Amino acid sequence: MAYDLLVIGAGSGGVRAARMAATYGAKVAIVEEYRVGGTCVIRGCVPKKLFVYASRFSDLFDLAPSFGWTVDARFDWPTLVANKDKEIARLERAYVAALEKPGVEIIRDRAVLTGSNAIRLEKAGTTLEAKHILVATGGHPFIPDIPGAKLGITSNEAFHLEKLPHSILIEGGGYIAAEFATIFAGLGVATTIVYRGDCMLRGFDQDIREGLDAGLVERGIRIIYQTNVVSLRKDGENVCVTFGDGVEAPFGAVMFATGRRANTAGLGLEKAGVELHSDGSIRVDAYSQSSNPAIYAVGDVTGRAALTPVAIREGAAFAETVFNANPTAVDHSMIPTAVFAEPEVGVVGLTETEAMTHGDIDVFIARFRPMKNTLSDKTGRMLMKLITQKDGGRVLGVHILGPDAGEIVQMAAIPMAMKASKADFDRAIALHPSAAEELVTFKAPSYTYRAGVKQG
């Protein structure tokens, strides 16, 4: 075989796997048809959070007078886009350098599987062979099959708009919808969310869901529940939306935040005998091996947990397993996650609904105004929620809504991964004044569940 490993896709998971495999002495090539860095770096987490930072300045300007500041601020969209592009280009160069240092060959082409151990490069028209192939092609935004769908945009295009629309409708109820609603509203765009459910962030703890919805509305975002977009048509400079209930309304732009799908179409996976799930993602075992023993897959393309740190961990585990004789499986049971909306969400562990099925639990909740808002007339509340086994037992879930929620939850995830108990949290001395101190100063539960019944 010409190579020990061929990686298809130079996103976070593929890059980590390629780097580590090369470090372990493997001859590695990575094939990427777009840009090195993948969704997260190029048109996902990184540019999105930069845009979130930009959108939060309007909140700080609102608070400034209560601290004695007078602010005369103006926003320029092209400047933000240009600076974002500059940073993304820098990160891409860093990813390329990190691959080249251990000797990974970077091939700018589209790869299609032609068998268990071979791929065809579409542009070059050549075939490469390897002992192992790793598919790390990530995912793409899902666009509903409705009339006029091409008039809408996705998160991909949102990073490259020539100018901000005067208004925007965002369809969806997950991370992307909440985050881009935060971005556009904070930059002065009249923002509306339409969601087929009755509360954002399905699958999150109910208190977090309700708190986020309230916070978005307080920020001036309109939310339309229990309907969806059934068609789009051009209406002068606007896009006219027809909703499922028959109502029509014009918007400056329409964005689909209706989920993502695995990038598996046209890869030749069927010819290679690689089994897929019904949603098109690759079926893999605990060691990321597909139904074809020579072909592995990591990251979003597997449909496990579509988060960059998970893809990185899976890529590293693959390299350990295959090239370092150290079989390593990734534990997906304790994954912290954040939604960089306004208010921000950070969670790790079980929701209240999930935890109550695991035995007797105690639930601790604190709601309070963030300290930076106390000199102003802002009324938004921060939420800190701790779910534990009864009587000081193991911490099962931490759920935070408010400033720096993601940063706090990352730290909480460490003791939780060590199976820390409520008693362990209680032994920590509080850092005052801080929001995070609430996690170590809870005394009595707000309420409990005993034999599945809520009490108190």
Side-chain angles (χ1 to χ4, degrees), residues 83-359:
N83 287 339
K84 177 267 298 180
D85 289 343
K86 182 179 178 180
E87 172 62 6
I88 299 311
R90 183 192 70 80
L91 288 173
E92 183 179 14
R93 291 193 298 271
Y95 267 62
V96 169
L99 286 167
E100 292 176 340
K101 184 176 181 180
V104 177
E105 180 183 352
I106 302 172
I107 301 173
R108 308 280 185 158
D109 209 323
R110 175 174 174 79
V112 177
L113 290 160
T114 58
S116 298
N117 303 98
I119 64 170
R120 183 180 70 254
L121 300 178
E122 295 286 86
K123 287 193 295 185
T126 56
T127 298
L128 302 178
E129 294 185 347
K131 184 177 180 181
H132 301 284
I133 294 175
L134 176 67
V135 181
T137 48
H140 62 274
F142 171 75
I143 300 175
D145 184 14
I146 60 172
K150 291 183 179 180
L151 295 173
I153 64 171
T154 70
S155 56
N156 287 355
E157 294 77 36
F159 292 119
H160 303 285
L161 294 174
E162 292 185 5
K163 63 179 182 179
L164 286 174
H166 63 85
S167 65
I168 190 166
L169 174 74
I170 301 175
E171 182 174 22
Y175 292 72
I176 296 173
E179 291 170 340
F180 274 94
T182 290
I183 290 166
F184 284 114
L187 298 181
V189 178
T191 302
T192 301
I193 296 172
V194 58
Y195 178 48
R196 63 185 179 182
D198 59 4
C199 197
M200 299 278 286
L201 294 186
R202 180 170 59 89
F204 281 67
D205 188 88
Q206 189 63 26
D207 284 319
I208 291 291
R209 299 179 70 193
E210 293 173 1
L212 174 67
D213 280 24
L216 293 174
V217 171
E218 183 181 13
R219 206 165 191 251
I221 296 168
R222 182 187 180 198
I223 306 178
I224 304 171
Y225 298 106
Q226 296 183 324
T227 189
N228 62 323
V229 176
V230 296
S231 69
L232 305 178
R233 61 178 172 83
K234 194 68 177 171
D235 182 15
E237 293 297 315
N238 293 321
V239 177
C240 185
V241 177
T242 301
F243 296 99
D245 54 10
V247 174
E248 292 188 347
F251 296 90
V254 175
M255 178 177 171
F256 295 117
T258 44
R260 294 177 66 83
R261 298 291 185 272
N263 284 330
T264 52
L267 284 180
L269 293 167
E270 298 84 355
K271 292 182 179 179
V274 175
E275 294 181 6
L276 305 179
H277 293 287
S278 59
D279 63 1
S281 59
I282 297 175
R283 188 186 300 274
V284 294
D285 66 12
Y287 299 97
S288 295
Q289 189 174 43
S290 77
S291 54
N292 184 323
I295 299 174
Y296 292 73
V298 297
D300 296 6
V301 76
T302 67
R304 289 180 285 190
L307 296 167
T308 298
V310 176
I312 292 171
R313 185 66 62 88
E314 290 171 356
F318 158 79
E320 284 289 334
T321 299
V322 178
F323 295 100
N324 197 37
N326 178 28
T328 304
V330 176
D331 180 3
H332 292 84
S333 67
M334 191 66 69
I335 301 173
T337 189
V339 183
F340 294 106
E342 190 59 48
E344 186 169 304
V345 171
V347 304
V348 60
L350 301 179
T351 67
E352 180 179 320
T353 302
E354 293 167 338
M356 63 178 283
T357 68
H358 285 62

